Amino acid sequence: MLLVYALALNLYRADGFDHPRWALVCAAVMVVWTGVTLRAYADPARRTRRLLGADLAVTVALLAVTPLVKGEWFNASIPGFWVACPIFAWAIHHHWRGGLFASVCVAGVDAAVREDLTQTNYANIFLLLVAGPIVGFLCESLQLMARERDEAQRAALAEAERARLARTVHDGVLQVLALVQRRGAELGGEAADLGRLAGEQEQVLRTLIRSQDAVSSTAPDATADLAAALAELGARGHVTVATPGTPVELPAAVVAELRAVVSACLDNVAVHVGADAPAWVLLEALPERIEVSVRDEGPGIPAGRLEDAAREGRLGVRESICGRMADLGGTAELTTGSFGTEWELVVPRTQPG
């Protein structure tokens, strides 16, 4: 539309051109360049700074040659309102800063090539300077709202998937664990120990299912005390927890994940070293990071055992410990040998994104 308007206006004022042939050349340039930009901007891969720079340069060049083609005392420039095209393109791709830059370039050249600035010229220049930043700001706001909408949709889908998995676990795994617990108590001996372990895991799963709604509805800026969360693990009896004397406040989601990692480490101690094997948990709150050590005095993990377990599909260490720490932007380092096993868990105080 802007191209058609500019061509129609130049045709209407054709008698005012000092060099009509060059005016036809300028009109042809506008038509060809409009076709080039329409095709180029349609392809996201071509929306580069070179294309934006070339678009702005062509527009500025048409403004600059206007006094040569129409005469020094021209009133309307050759491109007319067509100059808004590169301004909007810059605003869409670089938001208000890009819109402001393109507006200043176009308005500056438009003012520089005129011998006399009238009230109408001042108004047009003002509109050019305002249009770019406003369009850029609106585009940035729309893109931000679109991202927030996508994140909300992903969160809703994830919550629905958690609910589906919870139903599956409740209908299958929990019932089997309850059956194992009951039959183990009836059979006695080693079966009773197996039943007791099944009962403990049943309670853990039930707690996880009950807490999923609370986790999904936790405010993003909610905080919790990591020291208090880890101190609760000392109720296992054989676990000694050492924490600072002051609260260690972190985002609630981070605290929940760190507690789950430490709990997984302690579960491994109970399974592979012994149900009553002692374990130690040490929490250190440093200015830039949080360090949690989980140590036992068992026989250690044989070389290659974790890799073999991963190949067999048992991903407890990879997912429950290393996977969670990776999601938090932290690290999980394992030290093992005849002296025992120690996990060094480190997470930064400032969480990514």
Side-chain angles (χ1 to χ4, degrees):
M1 291 298 297
L2 293 177
L3 174 64
V4 173
Y5 179 80
L7 294 177
L9 187 62
N10 285 313
L11 180 62
Y12 176 75
R13 298 177 177 177
D15 296 338
F17 286 91
D18 290 350
H19 303 282
R21 293 183 179 179
W22 284 109
L24 292 175
V25 173
C26 292
V29 169
M30 292 170 60
V31 172
V32 172
W33 185 248
T34 299
V36 171
T37 53
L38 286 176
R39 186 172 182 178
Y41 283 131
D43 184 4
R46 297 181 181 179
R47 299 171 192 168
T48 62
R49 292 185 178 181
R50 288 186 178 182
L51 177 60
L52 292 170
D55 195 7
L56 185 59
V58 171
T59 303
V60 169
L62 289 172
L63 283 173
V65 301
T66 296
L68 302 178
V69 177
K70 300 189 69 171
E72 295 181 359
W73 301 103
F74 70 95
N75 185 21
S77 64
I78 292 177
F81 291 118
W82 188 78
V83 299
C85 297
I87 294 177
F88 292 158
W90 276 78
I92 292 172
H93 288 81
H94 297 293
H95 304 150
W96 71 266
R97 294 179 180 84
L100 179 61
F101 172 77
S103 296
V104 170
C105 292
V106 172
V109 174
D110 191 12
V113 298
R114 297 179 183 275
E115 290 292 335
D116 185 25
L117 290 175
T118 64
Q119 186 66 31
T120 303
N121 301 141
Y122 281 120
N124 292 337
I125 291 174
F126 174 76
L127 290 177
L128 287 175
L129 293 175
V130 171
I134 289 179
V135 173
F137 175 77
L138 292 177
C139 291
E140 185 177 12
S141 299
L142 288 175
Q143 292 173 1
L144 179 59
M145 286 189 291
R147 286 196 295 268
E148 292 176 349
R149 179 204 61 195
D150 294 341
E151 292 175 359
Q153 290 178 347
R154 286 195 294 269
L157 291 174
E159 185 173 354
E161 179 65 13
R162 285 196 297 269
R164 186 188 68 81
L165 292 175
R167 290 192 297 269
T168 302
V169 170
H170 183 272
D171 294 340
V173 178
L174 290 179
Q175 294 180 5
V176 172
L177 290 176
L179 176 62
V180 172
Q181 181 184 16
R182 183 170 64 255
R183 290 293 296 161
E186 294 174 355
L187 295 174
E190 295 182 357
D193 294 335
L194 180 61
R196 178 180 57 81
L197 293 175
E200 293 178 359
Q201 293 304 312
E202 180 192 5
Q203 292 301 319
V204 171
L205 285 176
R206 289 189 184 276
T207 302
L208 179 61
I209 293 174
R210 286 194 300 269
S211 64
Q212 69 172 356
D213 292 335
V215 171
S216 61
S217 61
T218 300
D221 56 349
T223 60
D225 183 10
L226 178 61
L230 295 183
E232 296 175 356
L233 298 176
R236 299 192 180 195
H238 61 282
V239 178
T240 301
V241 181
T243 62
T246 56
V248 181
E249 295 291 337
L250 289 174
V254 177
V255 171
E257 288 295 280
L258 281 175
R259 188 185 187 282
V261 172
V262 175
S263 180
C265 295
L266 296 176
D267 290 341
N268 287 337
V269 174
V271 172
H272 299 290
V273 182
D276 298 326
W280 293 265
V281 178
L282 172 63
L283 169 63
E284 294 183 85
L286 302 177
E288 297 181 354
R289 65 186 185 277
I290 300 296
E291 295 184 359
V292 181
S293 301
V294 183
R295 180 174 61 86
D296 66 69
E297 294 182 345
I301 302 175
R305 183 69 188 90
L306 296 181
E307 290 76 5
D308 293 340
R311 284 193 295 269
E312 295 170 2
R314 289 177 288 176
L315 305 177
V317 171
R318 175 179 295 181
E319 299 298 334
S320 298
I321 299 176
C322 298
R324 280 193 171 103
M325 294 303 298
D327 291 342
L328 294 176
T331 59
E333 296 184 3
L334 173 64
T335 303
T336 185
S338 58
F339 53 85
T341 300
E342 180 176 2
W343 282 100
E344 186 75 18
L345 311 173
V346 179
V347 63
R349 279 186 176 270
T350 303
Q351 293 301 305

